[in-house]
Amino acid sequence: MIDKKLAHQAPLGLALFKLRRMYGQLVRHQLWQHDLYHGQDIILGILDRVGPCSQTELRQRLQIQHTTVVKTIMRLERKGYVQRYKLATDRRVTMVELTPAGHDLAKELAQVWITSEGVITAGLTPAEQAEFIRLTKKITANISKKLDEYHKEGEEKRCGR
């Protein structure tokens, strides 16, 4: 349970924490109906929108560890949703593309996000939705700026500066 003093001192952080947790539960519940976990849906969506990608490109787009991408792709491959192949011009590059079953599932998953959107916007006016998006962009920019500072500091420490 959250300390009441902390909740008073950081109400926005607490609200964001609760929102993230509850929204994650909502999406996870819908993904489980497709025998998927969060992250797998994102990869399927990227591949559906942009077509075949290298594992490295997927890692960069998602900003996650290479091993996480590889494990997720392996799980999707076992289920028959993606296939991997080596690039003919550079055998070091592993490409990933959707299978026909993967394309079908990606279309179904788009509905998961639409359904979730309906749940979270219920009772909000279009103006409130627009304001939420505007504020979220500002908060995201604030966090991104701070994370960039942390990354820069980490690079400097690794380089001995």
Side-chain angles (χ1 to χ4, degrees), residues 76-143:
L76 290 170
E77 189 174 37
R78 279 195 299 268
K79 292 178 182 186
Y81 297 132
V82 301
Q83 59 188 16
R84 292 181 289 171
Y85 59 93
K86 294 290 185 181
L87 199 57
T89 55
D90 186 346
R91 305 292 292 165
R92 296 171 296 175
V93 177
T94 301
M95 298 295 292
V96 184
E97 68 181 356
L98 291 178
T99 63
H103 279 288
D104 292 343
L105 181 58
K107 302 295 183 245
E108 290 179 39
L109 292 175
Q111 190 59 48
V112 166
W113 291 100
I114 292 168
T115 300
S116 298
E117 184 84 2
V119 170
I120 64 174
T121 59
L124 296 178
T125 67
E128 289 171 327
Q129 292 175 38
E131 180 67 0
F132 179 78
I133 291 168
R134 186 185 73 75
L135 292 172
T136 301
K137 286 179 180 178
K138 283 182 90 168
I139 292 168
T140 302
N142 292 342
I143 293 170

Side-chain angles (χ1 to χ4, degrees), residues 65-83:
Q65 297 294 320
H66 180 74
T67 55
T68 303
V69 170
V70 171
K71 286 179 185 178
T72 302
I73 290 168
M74 287 173 59
R75 289 181 182 124
L76 290 170
E77 189 174 37
R78 279 195 299 268
K79 292 178 182 186
Y81 297 132
V82 301
Q83 59 188 16

